């Protein structure tokens, strides 16, 4: 990449190996089920997650909405975090497209939803109420700084769901970062979930695509909904070829991004006008705040860094989000810390 882009891991370019695989991918018509590269990717994904089947979709948003519309019908309700991507950043799609009611409950600072809050939100069988059908977790939880959920916690949510006859979906846009952080295979991390969506196109560097995994019956219905949404792609093997490399190779190196995030957070914590809790840096994402006594404004900081080809996202109430990824190397971290120190002291 030509810039030090710390705005998100969605900015990642495909690797040279991905571009080559895309150029040479065997393809067919995936709506007919005839694209060998898509079929291979879906088989690999299902195996990796220990689920029966998988479906390639265009984006994380599409994966989540298909999951919600597969688990829930019109007038059903899905419990989710009030800071979850699904609730905040997906255009209200469960309601807009499927008449599914969202029930937001507080997202805790560690990314979990309190078990008592989940249980309190489950509706009694009463014609006044929507029918509770689903709980959706997000792992890692982005809006609280990429927090990975503890496996024991996810298992307990799974037990609660089974007790009440609900499905458990995990928005695992960055589930491999979560698995890396807790040091367990992704199949174990997501064992309690009925469905998981994850993104090939974020820290895993593929240019396009997400995957939904679940049971055969779930994926059969999800495939129908993907088609209804216009998400049936034809020679999608060119996308899947990059996805195979994402899944097989890029998942193994995420600890490097986490180490770089820690290094950068530690460097910034030594700048007196920066507020940051280094102990919360667990994956490839963190927040820092600019103190009121900083010599320049948050907006000026963004502009000054951009002059040196360092990109950070717009501030919200003096707070910034930083995300590391494949294209951010230790030498970039050093450059960013030095530049920030000179601008902020
Ligand atoms: C946690 C989370 N879920 C879902 C999505 C949606 O992914 P996409 O942008 O591919 O639709 C994102 C995107 O940033 C995300 O951060």
């Amino acid at each position: 990449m030509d810039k030090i882009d710390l705005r998100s891991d969605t900015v990642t370019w495909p690797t040279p190996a991905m571009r080559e695989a895309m150029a040479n991918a065997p393809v067919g018509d995936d709506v007919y089920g005839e694209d060998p590269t898509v079929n291979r990717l879906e088989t690999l994904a299902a195996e990796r997650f220990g689920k029966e089947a998988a479906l390639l979709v265009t984006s994380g948003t599409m994966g989540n909405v298909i999951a919600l519309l597969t688990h829930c019908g019109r007038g059903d309700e899905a419990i989710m975090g009030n800071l979850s991507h699904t609730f905040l950043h997906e255009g209200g799609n469960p309601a807009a497209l499927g008449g599914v009611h969202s029930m937001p409950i507080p997202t805790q600072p560690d990314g979990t939803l309190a078990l008592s809050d989940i249980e309190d939100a489950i509706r009694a069988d009463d014609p006044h109420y929507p029918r509770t059908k689903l709980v959706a977790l997000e792992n890692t939880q982005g809006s609280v700084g990429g927090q990975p959920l503890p496996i024991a916690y996810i298992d307990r949510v799974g037990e609660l769901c089974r007790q009440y006859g609900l499905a458990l979906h995990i928005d695992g846009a960055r589930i491999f970062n979560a698995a890396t952080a807790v040091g367990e295979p992704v199949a174990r991390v997501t064992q309690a979930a009925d469905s998981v969506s994850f993104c090939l196109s974020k820290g895993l560097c593929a240019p396009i695509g997400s995957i939904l995994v679940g049971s055969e019956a779930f994926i059969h219905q999800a495939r129908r909904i993907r088609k209804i949404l216009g998400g049936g792609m034809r020679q999608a093997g060119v996308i899947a070829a990059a996805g195979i490399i994402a899944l097989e190779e890029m998942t193994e190196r995420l600890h490097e991004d986490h180490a770089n995030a820690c290094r950068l957070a530690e460097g910034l914590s030594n700048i007196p006008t920066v507020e940051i809790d280094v102990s919360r840096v667990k994956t490839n994402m963190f927040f820092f705040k600019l103190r009121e006594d900083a010599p320049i404004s948050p907006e000026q900081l963004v502009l000054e860094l951009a002059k040196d080809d360092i990109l950070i996202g717009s501030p919200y109430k003096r707070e910034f989000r930083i995300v590391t990824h494949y294209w951010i190397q230790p030498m970039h971290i050093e450059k960013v810390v030095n530049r920030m120190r000179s601008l902020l002291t």
Side-chain angles (χ1 to χ4, degrees), residues 13-234:
W13 292 359
T15 65
M18 285 178 177
R19 289 182 189 265
E20 195 185 332
M22 292 170 80
N24 297 315
V27 294
D29 188 328
D30 180 49
V31 176
Y32 294 167
E34 290 175 3
D35 188 302
T37 312
V38 173
N39 291 342
R40 185 162 160 243
L41 172 62
E42 290 178 346
T43 302
L44 283 172
E47 280 170 7
R48 187 77 178 265
F49 280 76
K51 305 286 185 209
E52 289 173 5
L55 183 70
L56 175 65
V57 295
T58 56
S59 65
T61 301
M62 183 180 269
N64 284 332
V65 74
I66 290 177
L68 265 78
L69 301 191
T70 303
H71 290 300
C72 306
R74 299 189 75 80
D76 291 344
E77 190 167 72
I79 297 170
M80 59 188 77
N82 65 340
L83 300 181
S84 65
H85 198 277
T86 313
F87 184 63
L88 287 181
H89 300 297
E90 299 183 6
N93 55 22
L97 303 178
V100 178
H101 198 245
S102 295
M103 168 58 116
I105 60 173
T107 301
Q108 301 298 321
D110 65 356
T112 62
L113 309 178
L115 292 167
S116 56
D117 287 344
I118 297 176
E119 201 160 8
D120 288 349
I122 298 170
R123 308 274 194 166
D125 184 7
D126 179 317
H128 292 89
Y129 302 146
R131 288 170 301 246
T132 309
K133 280 286 170 67
L134 176 83
V135 175
L137 297 176
E138 183 176 317
N139 194 12
T140 62
Q141 219 299 339
S143 51
V144 295
Q147 297 301 311
L149 305 183
I151 294 179
Y153 165 76
I154 303 170
D155 288 349
R156 287 180 69 193
V157 176
E159 281 161 24
L160 195 63
C161 287
R162 279 191 293 282
Q163 185 187 333
Y164 285 92
L166 310 178
L168 174 59
H169 172 68
I170 296 181
D171 172 1
R174 298 182 180 83
I175 196 71
F176 285 98
N177 294 91
T180 300
V182 299
E184 291 285 346
V186 77
R188 176 65 193 95
V189 176
T190 59
Q191 191 176 300
D194 297 286
S195 58
V196 185
S197 59
F198 71 95
C199 294
L200 300 164
S201 63
K202 297 193 165 67
L204 304 184
C205 280
I208 306 166
S210 290
I211 296 211
L212 190 55
V213 296
S215 68
E216 286 282 2
F218 170 83
I219 293 296
H220 181 76
Q221 176 64 8
R223 193 175 292 280
R224 168 177 283 273
I225 294 177
R226 184 186 70 171
K227 188 76 182 90
I228 291 169
L229 295 177
M233 296 178 281
R234 301 296 177 175

